[in-house]
Amino acid sequence: MRFIVRQPNGRLAVYSTVVSGLVLHDATLDEVVEEAAEFARRIALPNSRPEQTAEHIQTVRETVRRNATYVLDGEPHRAYEYPMSWQDVEAVAAAEAEGH
């Protein structure tokens, strides 16, 4: 799963539970949206029709824009059942650094 997180400087980051780390940081709203669209494009099913893929990517853009706006507005709970904070991201990184 991917979580959009607001950094202390007000910019956005994207944390992935799959890679246990940030896949994007110091980003604007538009950069988060485009990164998500590109990710959706990369993982699209090879047998999907182009119009299906385009529709899916548009849905991803809309969802990510909405969720990122909630995060920027200080309401990440509207985007995620269990949102992550920047402090959560730092804690996970520290725990992983201690474990290695």
Side-chain angles (χ1 to χ4, degrees):
M1 179 162 189
R2 290 171 158 226
F3 292 92
I4 302 166
V5 180
R6 186 173 181 173
Q7 297 175 208
N9 65 4
R11 304 221 358 145
L12 296 170
V14 178
Y15 181 87
S16 169
T17 59
V18 173
V19 299
S20 297
L22 295 175
V23 294
L24 185 66
H25 69 284
D26 248 357
T28 65
L29 173 65
D30 289 337
E31 289 169 334
V32 169
V33 170
E34 288 311 307
E35 189 279 335
E38 180 55 35
F39 180 72
R41 187 177 294 109
R42 283 194 318 267
I43 65 168
L45 296 174
N47 59 347
S48 294
R49 294 190 318 267
E51 59 273 10
Q52 287 175 311
T53 300
E55 184 178 313
H56 176 69
I57 290 169
Q58 183 59 33
T59 300
V60 166
R61 277 192 171 104
E62 292 167 3
T63 301
V64 169
R65 183 170 298 281
R66 183 185 64 243
N67 289 346
T69 299
Y70 289 147
V71 170
L72 286 170
D73 289 345
E75 300 180 306
H77 59 280
R78 293 184 69 189
Y80 306 104
E81 185 174 1
Y82 301 104
M84 287 187 79
S85 68
W86 185 251
Q87 292 78 16
D88 295 331
V89 170
E90 289 178 324
V92 169
E96 287 184 359
E98 289 177 8
H100 288 112

